[in-house]
Amino acid sequence: MLQFMSHQSAAIKEAEDLREKLRHFDGATPVRALDPALVLPSKWANRHADSFADAEFEALKQEIAGAGGNVQPIRVRPLPAGTRGGNGLGEEERFEIVFGHRRHRACLELGLLVQAQIESVDDRQLFELMDRENRGRKNLSAWEQGVMYRRALDEGLYPSLRKLAEALKVDVSLVSKSVALARLPEAVVRAFPSPVDIQFRWAQPLCEWVQKDPDALLARARDLQDGQARTAIQVFEQLTRPPEADEPAMAARNQEHKLGHGQRSALMTVGARGDVKLKFSAKALRPERREALKECIERFLAED
């Protein structure tokens, strides 16, 4: 009996010691090693493909490979049954990334388990945690950040741009510029070497061109998609150069065709953008013939 009581006392003492140690972890989120194939990108994922192809991402992969896994856990939320292949009877447990897309991608490519904290959060909490984590680590590019904010506004996660800025505790002008970049025409974005190269300070001049002369901006953007290597700043300068800078180059590319002869002649000019201008000599287009020309043009335009 004395031996039993002695062992019992030791067990009670050990339990008390363990309870004291566990008290230090009250409120902590446990970390689990997950198969990265069962962890899906967030629907608010904001990284462009180029963010997973730069030298910084390669350095992150090497660091994780050397450590045998991600030392800093990512955060995920469990997917409910029936959503995006979520958890259900007979299915493996699946998760959605709250933050840590780059660490998750690195583990996925390396074939390593990903260390993750699991926490149930709603869409707004997820969005705000993701934004805070990104700004605290490798900042998103201006365009990536704009895409993230634009998506939140378009899907009604926040009622207004100002409410979004207040929730994230960021300057409303920063959010406005980011969203403006994300709403640039696709042709303009493609003109840059990569969307992640577009800078915040270019938002205003580019958006002014969208409002002032969208056709000219789009024509320049298409011209810049010629396969020639340019830096992002060179593309920006070409897109926002003054209109008069286009005139010599446009004139050089215009094609002129003389029609008729003598005093009854016309000049047809085909512009670089495909626009056509006709200029008649005074005697070739006397007042009594103008109506006939108008009718001829109307019939021509009506034809398929």
Side-chain angles (χ1 to χ4, degrees):
M1 179 64 72
L2 287 173
Q3 187 178 12
F4 171 78
M5 293 297 294
S6 174
H7 285 306
Q8 189 78 350
S9 297
I12 292 171
K13 179 67 168 60
E14 184 179 358
E16 288 176 350
D17 291 342
L18 288 172
R19 193 177 295 111
E20 181 62 29
K21 289 178 180 178
L22 286 172
R23 191 173 294 118
H24 295 291
F25 295 93
D26 282 351
T29 305
V31 175
R32 281 177 56 186
L34 303 175
D35 179 351
L38 300 178
V39 180
L40 306 179
S42 168
K43 66 178 181 179
W44 308 106
N46 41 33
R47 296 286 182 190
H48 188 267
D50 290 351
S51 293
F52 299 102
D54 59 10
E56 192 166 346
F57 179 67
E58 285 303 314
L60 176 65
K61 275 182 67 175
Q62 290 177 18
E63 179 184 328
I64 289 175
N70 57 310
V71 176
Q72 183 67 33
I74 68 171
R75 186 170 296 186
V76 300
R77 68 175 177 179
L79 281 171
T83 59
R84 301 180 63 197
N87 307 331
L89 293 175
E91 292 185 359
E92 291 187 87
E93 200 174 12
R94 293 180 186 272
F95 304 90
E96 179 183 5
I97 298 174
V98 176
F99 58 71
H101 285 84
R102 296 169 75 248
R103 280 167 279 166
H104 168 259
R105 174 71 72 86
C107 289
L108 187 65
E109 293 182 4
L110 291 167
L112 298 172
L113 295 177
V114 61
Q115 302 296 320
Q117 295 177 328
I118 303 171
E119 184 178 0
S120 293
V121 293
D122 61 27
D123 280 354
R124 277 203 182 186
Q125 290 171 321
L126 185 154
F127 185 86
E128 290 164 18
L129 284 167
M130 182 190 296
D131 181 74
R132 190 179 307 120
E133 175 76 2
N134 284 330
R135 285 187 285 117
R137 290 181 175 275
K138 181 184 184 294
N139 287 341
L140 294 176
S141 70
W143 184 82
E144 287 174 314
Q145 200 159 330
V147 169
M148 177 182 175
Y149 294 160
R150 183 198 66 192
R151 191 177 298 150
L153 292 169
D154 290 349
E155 296 196 15
L157 194 61
Y158 297 92
S160 69
L161 190 145
R162 183 171 294 280
K163 289 293 185 184
L164 187 154
E166 289 174 357
L168 301 180
K169 296 179 174 57
V170 296
D171 191 273
V172 69
S173 66
L174 178 70
V175 176
S176 178
K177 287 178 182 178
S178 302
V179 173
L181 288 177
R183 296 197 189 280
L184 286 172
E186 187 178 347
V188 174
V189 175
R190 284 202 310 266
F192 287 89
S194 168
V196 300
D197 295 330
I198 304 174
Q199 299 182 23
F200 281 111
R201 59 193 175 94
W202 298 343
Q204 184 175 343
L206 286 171
C207 291
E208 284 177 356
W209 267 101
V210 171
Q211 296 297 322
K212 182 170 57 178
D213 195 346
D215 291 339
L217 181 67
L218 290 173
R220 290 176 178 180
R222 285 190 288 268
D223 287 345
L224 289 167
Q225 295 174 44
D226 56 7
Q228 182 178 336
R230 297 180 181 88
T231 64
I233 185 65
Q234 288 173 332
V235 172
F236 170 74
E237 289 172 348
Q238 288 289 311
L239 289 172
T240 57
R241 65 182 183 269
E244 54 270 19
D246 282 340
E247 293 176 3
M250 292 296 290
R253 287 185 287 175
N254 287 343
Q255 298 177 15
E256 294 186 346
H257 304 275
K258 291 184 178 180
L259 308 174
H261 54 82
Q263 293 182 335
R264 299 188 65 180
S265 62
L267 180 67
M268 183 172 73
T269 304
V270 182
R273 299 185 187 125
D275 53 304
V276 178
K277 296 179 183 178
L278 276 172
K279 184 177 181 181
F280 293 86
S281 63
K283 291 195 175 181
L285 197 59
R286 297 188 300 272
E288 61 270 21
R289 295 177 59 83
R290 291 174 189 165
E291 284 302 319
L293 176 65
K294 286 169 61 178
E295 291 176 6
C296 180
I297 292 174
E298 288 287 354
R299 287 196 301 272
F300 175 79
L301 295 175
E303 293 177 358
D304 188 1

Coordinates of all heavy atoms in Angstrom, one line a residue, residues 144-213:
E144 N -1.3 43.7 -57.7 CA -1.8 42.5 -57.0 C -2.7 43.0 -55.8 O -3.8 42.5 -55.6 CB -0.7 41.7 -56.4 CG 0.1 40.9 -57.4 CD 1.3 40.2 -56.8 OE1 2.0 40.8 -56.1 OE2 1.5 39.0 -57.0
Q145 N -2.3 44.1 -55.2 CA -3.0 44.6 -54.1 C -4.4 45.1 -54.6 O -5.4 45.0 -54.0 CB -2.2 45.7 -53.4 CG -2.7 46.0 -51.9 CD -1.7 46.7 -51.1 OE1 -0.5 46.5 -51.3 NE2 -2.1 47.5 -50.2
G146 N -4.3 45.8 -55.7 CA -5.5 46.4 -56.3 C -6.5 45.3 -56.7 O -7.7 45.4 -56.5
V147 N -6.0 44.2 -57.3 CA -6.9 43.1 -57.7 C -7.6 42.5 -56.4 O -8.8 42.2 -56.5 CB -6.1 41.9 -58.4 CG1 -6.9 40.7 -58.5 CG2 -5.6 42.4 -59.7
M148 N -6.8 42.4 -55.3 CA -7.4 41.9 -54.1 C -8.5 42.8 -53.6 O -9.6 42.3 -53.2 CB -6.3 41.8 -53.0 CG -6.7 41.3 -51.7 SD -5.3 41.3 -50.6 CE -6.1 40.9 -49.0
Y149 N -8.3 44.1 -53.6 CA -9.2 45.1 -53.1 C -10.4 45.2 -54.0 O -11.6 45.2 -53.6 CB -8.6 46.5 -52.9 CG -7.5 46.5 -51.9 CD1 -6.6 47.6 -51.9 CD2 -7.4 45.6 -50.8 CE1 -5.6 47.7 -50.9 CE2 -6.5 45.7 -49.9 CZ -5.6 46.7 -49.9 OH -4.6 46.8 -48.9
R150 N -10.2 45.1 -55.3 CA -11.3 45.2 -56.3 C -12.2 44.0 -56.2 O -13.4 44.2 -56.2 CB -10.7 45.2 -57.7 CG -11.7 45.4 -58.9 CD -11.1 44.9 -60.2 NE -10.9 43.5 -60.2 CZ -10.2 42.9 -61.1 NH1 -9.6 43.6 -62.1 NH2 -10.0 41.6 -61.1
R151 N -11.6 42.8 -56.0 CA -12.5 41.6 -55.8 C -13.3 41.7 -54.6 O -14.5 41.4 -54.6 CB -11.6 40.4 -55.7 CG -12.3 39.1 -55.9 CD -11.3 37.9 -55.8 NE -10.4 38.0 -57.0 CZ -9.2 37.6 -57.0 NH1 -8.6 37.0 -55.9 NH2 -8.4 37.6 -58.1
A152 N -12.8 42.3 -53.5 CA -13.6 42.4 -52.3 C -14.7 43.4 -52.5 O -15.8 43.1 -52.0 CB -12.7 42.9 -51.1
L153 N -14.5 44.4 -53.2 CA -15.6 45.4 -53.5 C -16.6 44.8 -54.5 O -17.8 45.0 -54.3 CB -15.0 46.7 -54.1 CG -14.1 47.5 -53.1 CD1 -13.4 48.6 -53.8 CD2 -15.0 48.1 -52.0
D154 N -16.1 44.2 -55.5 CA -17.0 43.7 -56.6 C -17.9 42.6 -56.0 O -19.1 42.4 -56.4 CB -16.2 43.1 -57.8 CG -15.6 44.2 -58.6 OD1 -15.9 45.4 -58.3 OD2 -14.7 43.9 -59.4
E155 N -17.4 41.8 -55.0 CA -18.2 40.7 -54.5 C -19.0 41.1 -53.2 O -19.6 40.3 -52.5 CB -17.3 39.5 -54.1 CG -16.7 38.9 -55.4 CD -16.1 37.5 -55.2 OE1 -16.4 36.9 -54.1 OE2 -15.3 37.1 -56.0
G156 N -19.0 42.4 -52.9 CA -19.8 43.0 -51.8 C -19.3 42.6 -50.4 O -20.0 42.7 -49.5
L157 N -18.0 42.3 -50.3 CA -17.4 42.0 -49.0 C -17.5 43.3 -48.1 O -17.6 43.2 -46.9 CB -16.0 41.5 -49.1 CG -15.4 40.8 -47.8 CD1 -16.3 39.6 -47.4 CD2 -14.0 40.4 -48.1
Y158 N -17.3 44.4 -48.8 CA -17.3 45.7 -48.1 C -18.2 46.6 -49.0 O -18.2 46.6 -50.2 CB -16.0 46.4 -48.0 CG -15.0 45.6 -47.1 CD1 -14.2 44.6 -47.6 CD2 -15.0 45.7 -45.7 CE1 -13.3 43.9 -46.8 CE2 -14.2 45.0 -44.9 CZ -13.3 44.1 -45.5 OH -12.5 43.3 -44.7
P159 N -19.1 47.5 -48.3 CA -20.0 48.3 -49.1 C -19.4 49.4 -49.9 O -20.0 49.9 -50.8 CB -21.0 48.8 -48.0 CG -20.1 48.8 -46.8 CD -19.2 47.7 -46.9
S160 N -18.2 49.9 -49.5 CA -17.5 51.0 -50.2 C -16.0 50.9 -50.0 O -15.5 50.2 -49.2 CB -18.0 52.3 -49.6 OG -17.6 52.5 -48.3
L161 N -15.4 51.7 -50.9 CA -13.9 51.7 -50.8 C -13.5 52.3 -49.5 O -12.5 51.8 -48.9 CB -13.4 52.6 -52.0 CG -11.9 52.6 -52.3 CD1 -11.7 52.7 -53.8 CD2 -11.3 53.8 -51.6
R162 N -14.2 53.3 -49.0 CA -13.8 53.9 -47.7 C -14.0 52.9 -46.5 O -13.1 52.8 -45.6 CB -14.6 55.1 -47.4 CG -14.3 55.9 -46.1 CD -15.0 57.2 -46.0 NE -14.5 58.1 -47.1 CZ -13.4 58.8 -47.0 NH1 -12.6 58.7 -45.9 NH2 -13.0 59.6 -48.0
K163 N -15.0 52.1 -46.5 CA -15.3 51.1 -45.5 C -14.2 50.0 -45.5 O -13.7 49.6 -44.5 CB -16.6 50.5 -45.6 CG -17.8 51.4 -45.3 CD -17.8 51.7 -43.8 CE -19.0 52.6 -43.5 NZ -19.0 53.0 -42.0
L164 N -13.8 49.7 -46.7 CA -12.7 48.7 -46.9 C -11.4 49.2 -46.3 O -10.7 48.5 -45.5 CB -12.5 48.4 -48.4 CG -11.5 47.2 -48.7 CD1 -11.9 46.6 -50.1 CD2 -10.1 47.7 -48.8
A165 N -11.1 50.5 -46.6 CA -9.8 51.1 -46.1 C -9.9 51.2 -44.5 O -8.9 51.0 -43.9 CB -9.7 52.5 -46.7
E166 N -11.1 51.5 -44.0 CA -11.2 51.6 -42.5 C -11.0 50.2 -41.9 O -10.3 50.1 -40.8 CB -12.6 52.2 -42.2 CG -12.7 53.7 -42.5 CD -14.2 54.1 -42.3 OE1 -15.0 53.3 -41.9 OE2 -14.4 55.3 -42.5
A167 N -11.6 49.2 -42.5 CA -11.4 47.9 -41.9 C -10.0 47.4 -41.9 O -9.5 46.7 -41.0 CB -12.3 46.9 -42.7
L168 N -9.2 47.7 -43.0 CA -7.9 47.3 -43.1 C -6.9 48.3 -42.4 O -5.7 48.0 -42.3 CB -7.5 47.2 -44.6 CG -8.3 46.2 -45.4 CD1 -7.8 46.2 -46.8 CD2 -8.2 44.8 -44.8
K169 N -7.4 49.4 -42.0 CA -6.6 50.5 -41.3 C -5.5 50.9 -42.2 O -4.3 51.0 -41.8 CB -6.0 49.9 -40.0 CG -7.1 49.6 -38.9 CD -6.5 49.1 -37.7 CE -7.6 48.9 -36.6 NZ -8.7 48.1 -37.0
V170 N -5.8 51.2 -43.5 CA -4.9 51.7 -44.5 C -5.5 53.0 -45.0 O -6.7 53.3 -45.0 CB -4.6 50.7 -45.6 CG1 -3.9 49.5 -45.1 CG2 -5.8 50.3 -46.3
D171 N -4.6 53.9 -45.6 CA -5.0 55.1 -46.2 C -6.0 54.9 -47.4 O -5.7 54.1 -48.2 CB -3.8 55.9 -46.6 CG -4.2 57.4 -47.0 OD1 -4.6 57.6 -48.1 OD2 -4.1 58.2 -46.1
V172 N -7.1 55.6 -47.4 CA -8.1 55.4 -48.4 C -7.5 55.7 -49.8 O -7.9 55.1 -50.8 CB -9.4 56.3 -48.1 CG1 -9.1 57.8 -48.3 CG2 -10.5 55.8 -49.1
S173 N -6.6 56.7 -49.9 CA -6.0 57.0 -51.2 C -5.1 55.9 -51.7 O -5.1 55.6 -52.9 CB -5.1 58.3 -51.1 OG -4.0 58.1 -50.3
L174 N -4.5 55.1 -50.8 CA -3.7 53.9 -51.2 C -4.7 52.9 -51.8 O -4.4 52.3 -52.9 CB -3.0 53.3 -50.1 CG -2.2 52.1 -50.3 CD1 -1.0 52.4 -51.2 CD2 -1.7 51.4 -49.0
V175 N -5.8 52.6 -51.2 CA -6.8 51.7 -51.7 C -7.3 52.2 -53.0 O -7.5 51.4 -54.0 CB -7.9 51.5 -50.7 CG1 -9.0 50.6 -51.2 CG2 -7.4 51.0 -49.4
S176 N -7.6 53.5 -53.1 CA -8.1 54.0 -54.4 C -7.2 53.8 -55.6 O -7.6 53.4 -56.7 CB -8.4 55.5 -54.2 OG -8.9 56.1 -55.4
K177 N -5.9 54.1 -55.3 CA -4.9 54.0 -56.4 C -4.7 52.5 -56.8 O -4.6 52.2 -58.0 CB -3.6 54.5 -55.9 CG -3.5 56.1 -55.9 CD -2.1 56.5 -55.4 CE -2.1 58.0 -55.3 NZ -0.8 58.5 -54.8
S178 N -4.8 51.6 -55.8 CA -4.6 50.2 -56.1 C -5.8 49.7 -56.9 O -5.5 49.0 -57.9 CB -4.6 49.4 -54.7 OG -3.5 49.8 -53.9
V179 N -7.0 50.1 -56.5 CA -8.1 49.6 -57.3 C -8.1 50.2 -58.7 O -8.5 49.5 -59.7 CB -9.4 50.0 -56.5 CG1 -10.7 49.7 -57.4 CG2 -9.5 49.2 -55.2
A180 N -7.7 51.4 -58.8 CA -7.6 52.1 -60.2 C -6.7 51.3 -61.1 O -7.0 51.1 -62.3 CB -7.2 53.5 -60.0
L181 N -5.6 50.9 -60.5 CA -4.6 50.0 -61.4 C -5.2 48.7 -61.7 O -5.1 48.2 -62.9 CB -3.3 49.8 -60.6 CG -2.4 51.0 -60.4 CD1 -1.2 50.6 -59.5 CD2 -1.9 51.5 -61.7
A182 N -6.0 48.1 -60.8 CA -6.6 46.8 -61.1 C -7.7 46.9 -62.1 O -8.1 45.9 -62.7 CB -7.1 46.2 -59.8
R183 N -8.2 48.1 -62.3 CA -9.3 48.3 -63.3 C -8.8 48.9 -64.7 O -9.6 49.2 -65.5 CB -10.4 49.3 -62.7 CG -11.1 48.8 -61.5 CD -12.4 49.5 -61.2 NE -13.0 49.1 -60.0 CZ -13.7 48.0 -59.7 NH1 -13.9 47.2 -60.7 NH2 -14.2 47.8 -58.5
L184 N -7.5 48.9 -64.8 CA -6.9 49.3 -66.1 C -7.4 48.3 -67.2 O -7.5 47.1 -66.9 CB -5.4 49.4 -66.1 CG -4.8 50.6 -65.3 CD1 -3.3 50.4 -65.2 CD2 -5.1 51.9 -66.0
P185 N -7.5 48.8 -68.4 CA -7.8 47.8 -69.5 C -6.8 46.7 -69.6 O -5.6 47.0 -69.4 CB -7.8 48.7 -70.8 CG -8.1 50.1 -70.3 CD -7.5 50.2 -68.9
E186 N -7.2 45.6 -70.0 CA -6.3 44.4 -70.1 C -5.2 44.6 -71.0 O -4.0 44.2 -70.7 CB -7.1 43.2 -70.5 CG -6.3 41.9 -70.4 CD -7.2 40.7 -70.8 OE1 -8.4 40.8 -70.9 OE2 -6.6 39.6 -71.0
A187 N -5.4 45.3 -72.1 CA -4.4 45.6 -73.1 C -3.2 46.4 -72.5 O -2.1 46.2 -72.8 CB -4.9 46.3 -74.3
V188 N -3.6 47.4 -71.6 CA -2.6 48.2 -71.0 C -1.8 47.4 -70.0 O -0.6 47.6 -70.0 CB -3.3 49.4 -70.2 CG1 -2.3 50.2 -69.4 CG2 -4.0 50.3 -71.2
V189 N -2.4 46.5 -69.2 CA -1.7 45.7 -68.3 C -0.7 44.8 -69.0 O 0.4 44.6 -68.6 CB -2.7 44.9 -67.4 CG1 -1.9 43.9 -66.5 CG2 -3.5 45.8 -66.6
R190 N -1.2 44.2 -70.2 CA -0.3 43.3 -70.9 C 0.9 44.0 -71.6 O 1.8 43.3 -71.9 CB -1.2 42.6 -72.0 CG -2.1 41.5 -71.5 CD -2.4 40.5 -72.6 NE -2.9 41.2 -73.8 CZ -4.2 41.4 -74.1 NH1 -5.1 41.0 -73.3 NH2 -4.5 42.1 -75.2
A191 N 0.8 45.3 -71.7 CA 1.9 46.0 -72.4 C 3.2 46.0 -71.5 O 4.3 46.2 -72.0 CB 1.5 47.5 -72.7
F192 N 3.0 45.9 -70.2 CA 4.1 45.8 -69.2 C 4.8 44.5 -69.2 O 4.1 43.5 -69.5 CB 3.6 46.2 -67.8 CG 3.3 47.6 -67.6 CD1 2.0 48.1 -67.9 CD2 4.3 48.5 -67.2 CE1 1.7 49.4 -67.7 CE2 4.0 49.9 -67.1 CZ 2.7 50.3 -67.3
P193 N 6.1 44.4 -68.9 CA 6.7 43.1 -68.8 C 6.0 42.1 -67.9 O 5.9 40.9 -68.2 CB 8.1 43.4 -68.3 CG 8.3 44.9 -68.6 CD 7.0 45.5 -68.6
S194 N 5.5 42.7 -66.8 CA 4.7 41.9 -65.9 C 3.8 42.8 -65.1 O 4.2 44.0 -64.8 CB 5.6 41.1 -64.9 OG 4.8 40.6 -63.8
P195 N 2.6 42.4 -64.7 CA 1.7 43.3 -64.0 C 2.3 43.7 -62.6 O 2.0 44.8 -62.1 CB 0.4 42.4 -63.7 CG 0.4 41.4 -64.8 CD 1.9 41.1 -65.1
V196 N 3.2 42.8 -62.1 CA 3.7 43.2 -60.7 C 4.7 44.3 -60.8 O 5.2 44.8 -59.8 CB 4.4 41.9 -60.1 CG1 3.4 40.8 -59.9 CG2 5.6 41.4 -60.9
D197 N 5.1 44.7 -62.1 CA 6.0 45.9 -62.2 C 5.3 47.2 -62.2 O 6.0 48.3 -62.1 CB 6.7 45.8 -63.6 CG 7.6 44.5 -63.7 OD1 8.1 44.1 -62.6 OD2 7.8 44.0 -64.8
I198 N 4.0 47.2 -62.3 CA 3.2 48.5 -62.3 C 3.3 49.1 -60.9 O 3.0 48.5 -59.9 CB 1.8 48.3 -62.8 CG1 1.7 47.5 -64.1 CG2 1.0 49.6 -62.9 CD1 0.4 47.1 -64.6
Q199 N 3.6 50.4 -60.9 CA 3.8 51.1 -59.6 C 2.6 52.0 -59.2 O 1.9 52.5 -60.1 CB 5.1 52.0 -59.7 CG 6.3 51.2 -60.0 CD 7.6 52.0 -60.0 OE1 7.6 53.1 -59.4 NE2 8.6 51.6 -60.7
F200 N 2.5 52.2 -57.9 CA 1.4 53.0 -57.4 C 1.3 54.4 -58.0 O 0.3 54.9 -58.3 CB 1.5 53.2 -55.8 CG 1.0 52.0 -55.0 CD1 1.9 51.2 -54.4 CD2 -0.3 51.7 -55.0 CE1 1.5 50.1 -53.6 CE2 -0.8 50.6 -54.3 CZ 0.1 49.8 -53.6
R201 N 2.5 55.0 -58.1 CA 2.6 56.4 -58.6 C 2.1 56.6 -60.1 O 1.9 57.7 -60.5 CB 4.0 57.0 -58.4 CG 5.1 56.2 -59.1 CD 6.4 56.7 -58.6 NE 7.5 55.9 -59.2 CZ 8.2 56.2 -60.3 NH1 7.9 57.4 -60.9 NH2 9.2 55.5 -60.7
W202 N 2.0 55.5 -60.8 CA 1.5 55.5 -62.2 C 0.0 55.5 -62.3 O -0.5 55.6 -63.4 CB 2.2 54.4 -63.0 CG 3.6 54.5 -63.0 CD1 4.4 55.5 -62.7 CD2 4.5 53.4 -63.4 NE1 5.8 55.2 -62.9 CE2 5.9 53.9 -63.3 CE3 4.3 52.1 -63.8 CZ2 7.0 53.1 -63.6 CZ3 5.4 51.3 -64.1 CH2 6.7 51.8 -64.0
A203 N -0.7 55.3 -61.2 CA -2.1 55.1 -61.3 C -2.8 56.3 -61.8 O -3.6 56.2 -62.8 CB -2.7 54.8 -59.9
Q204 N -2.5 57.5 -61.3 CA -3.2 58.7 -61.7 C -3.0 59.0 -63.2 O -3.9 59.2 -63.9 CB -2.8 59.9 -60.8 CG -3.5 61.2 -61.2 CD -3.2 62.3 -60.2 OE1 -2.7 62.1 -59.1 NE2 -3.5 63.5 -60.6
P205 N -1.7 59.1 -63.7 CA -1.5 59.4 -65.1 C -2.2 58.4 -66.1 O -2.7 58.8 -67.1 CB 0.0 59.5 -65.3 CG 0.6 58.9 -64.1 CD -0.4 59.1 -63.0
L206 N -2.1 57.1 -65.7 CA -2.7 56.1 -66.6 C -4.2 56.2 -66.6 O -4.8 56.1 -67.7 CB -2.3 54.7 -66.1 CG -0.8 54.3 -66.4 CD1 -0.5 53.0 -65.7 CD2 -0.6 54.2 -67.9
C207 N -4.8 56.5 -65.4 CA -6.2 56.6 -65.4 C -6.7 57.9 -66.0 O -7.8 57.9 -66.6 CB -6.7 56.6 -63.9 SG -6.5 54.9 -63.1
E208 N -5.9 58.9 -66.0 CA -6.2 60.1 -66.7 C -6.3 59.9 -68.2 O -7.2 60.4 -68.9 CB -5.2 61.2 -66.4 CG -5.4 61.9 -65.1 CD -4.3 62.9 -64.7 OE1 -3.4 63.1 -65.6 OE2 -4.4 63.5 -63.7
W209 N -5.4 59.1 -68.8 CA -5.4 58.7 -70.2 C -6.6 57.9 -70.5 O -7.2 58.0 -71.6 CB -4.1 58.0 -70.6 CG -3.1 58.9 -71.1 CD1 -2.0 59.4 -70.4 CD2 -3.0 59.5 -72.4 NE1 -1.3 60.2 -71.2 CE2 -1.9 60.3 -72.4 CE3 -3.8 59.4 -73.5 CZ2 -1.5 61.0 -73.5 CZ3 -3.5 60.1 -74.6 CH2 -2.4 60.9 -74.6
V210 N -7.0 57.0 -69.6 CA -8.2 56.2 -69.8 C -9.4 57.0 -70.0 O -10.3 56.8 -70.8 CB -8.4 55.2 -68.6 CG1 -9.8 54.5 -68.8 CG2 -7.3 54.1 -68.6
Q211 N -9.5 58.1 -69.2 CA -10.6 59.0 -69.3 C -10.5 60.0 -70.5 O -11.5 60.2 -71.1 CB -10.7 59.9 -68.0 CG -11.0 59.1 -66.7 CD -12.3 58.4 -66.7 OE1 -13.3 59.0 -67.2 NE2 -12.4 57.2 -66.2
K212 N -9.3 60.5 -70.7 CA -9.1 61.5 -71.7 C -9.1 61.0 -73.2 O -9.8 61.5 -74.0 CB -7.8 62.2 -71.5 CG -7.5 63.4 -72.4 CD -6.3 64.2 -71.9 CE -5.1 63.3 -71.7 NZ -3.9 64.1 -71.2
D213 N -8.4 59.9 -73.4 CA -8.3 59.4 -74.8 C -8.0 57.9 -74.7 O -6.9 57.4 -75.0 CB -7.1 60.1 -75.5 CG -7.2 59.9 -77.0 OD1 -7.9 59.0 -77.5 OD2 -6.5 60.6 -77.8

